[in-house]
Amino acid sequence: MAAQSNLRNMLLCLTGVCLVCASLLGAVNAVTKDIIAQTAHKNLVASIAAVLPEGGELSESQACDAPGIGEYYVLSSEGAPIAYAVKSTTNGFGGALTLMVGVLPDGTVYNTSVLEHTETPGLGAKCTEEESHFRAQFKGFKGALKVTKDGGEIDAITASTITSRAFTLAVKQAVDLVQSLNGGQCNE
């Protein structure tokens, strides 16, 4: 004889399924948490190396309450800063866009690296292509950090003006932070 389909049986069955699924998700999270953290740290270290010139001594992570800035690192030689790596976040078309931006003490952008994004594949996600014209514009850039549509000097990614504006704003936030630093320290 089959069990009768009633509200109590359906609730018990659904509760059991939910408990099993939650337990499985919890177990997977426990197993992968350290691996995910290690991978994120490796990506951070690689992005810092990509946006800074070689040589010098890199400081520990330094926090700052500047808008959109998560943390920054100072690359110094003989006690004098030679470059900064700034983690900067803005909102793009698809959500948060997080960059690591290398900035020289005079405000010149050394290089950029995308840490995280949720931009549209094939459109806004083109901002992650290191050899693209869009990204190449920022190497050695010192000037008005705005897209040409807004009166600046940065050519936007075709059909991705929102992403281009967000990327440019993240770079601008990093440059503004470096220009406001006093001997490598954040003026909060």
Side-chain angles (χ1 to χ4, degrees), residues 12-25:
L12 286 173
C13 184
L14 286 175
T15 301
V17 169
C18 288
L19 288 174
V20 168
C21 289
S23 298
L24 288 173
L25 285 173

Side-chain angles (χ1 to χ4, degrees), residues 67-68 88-99 116-119 161-170 173:
S88 181
T89 302
T90 59
N91 284 319
F93 181 76
L97 176 64
T98 303
L99 307 179
E116 297 176 27
H117 76 93
T118 53
E119 299 305 296
T161 306
I162 295 172
T163 301
S164 301
R165 284 178 175 147
F167 192 101
T168 305
L169 177 60
Q173 288 174 171

Side-chain angles (χ1 to χ4, degrees), residues 120-152:
T120 308
L123 292 173
K126 288 182 180 180
C127 72
T128 63
E129 297 171 4
E130 290 186 37
E131 301 304 318
S132 69
H133 170 70
F134 179 72
R135 289 274 299 278
Q137 296 176 91
F138 291 96
K139 290 182 182 178
F141 185 85
K142 185 172 183 170
L145 280 164
K146 293 181 181 177
V147 295
T148 53
K149 206 174 208 181
D150 298 334

Side-chain angles (χ1 to χ4, degrees), residues 16 18 26 30 33 45 48 51 74 93 97 102 110 113 125 134-135 147 183:
C18 288
K33 182 171 59 172
V45 169
I48 291 170
V51 301
V74 182
F93 181 76
L97 176 64
Y110 186 78
S113 176
F134 179 72
R135 289 274 299 278
V147 295

Side-chain angles (χ1 to χ4, degrees), residues 48 52-60 62 72-85 103-105 183-185:
I48 291 170
L52 292 177
E54 290 185 20
E57 185 176 322
L58 189 64
S59 72
E60 293 293 319
Q62 299 183 37
Y72 69 98
Y73 302 81
V74 182
L75 181 68
S76 58
S77 177
E78 298 178 14
I82 54 175
Y84 300 85
V103 184
L104 302 178
Q185 299 299 315

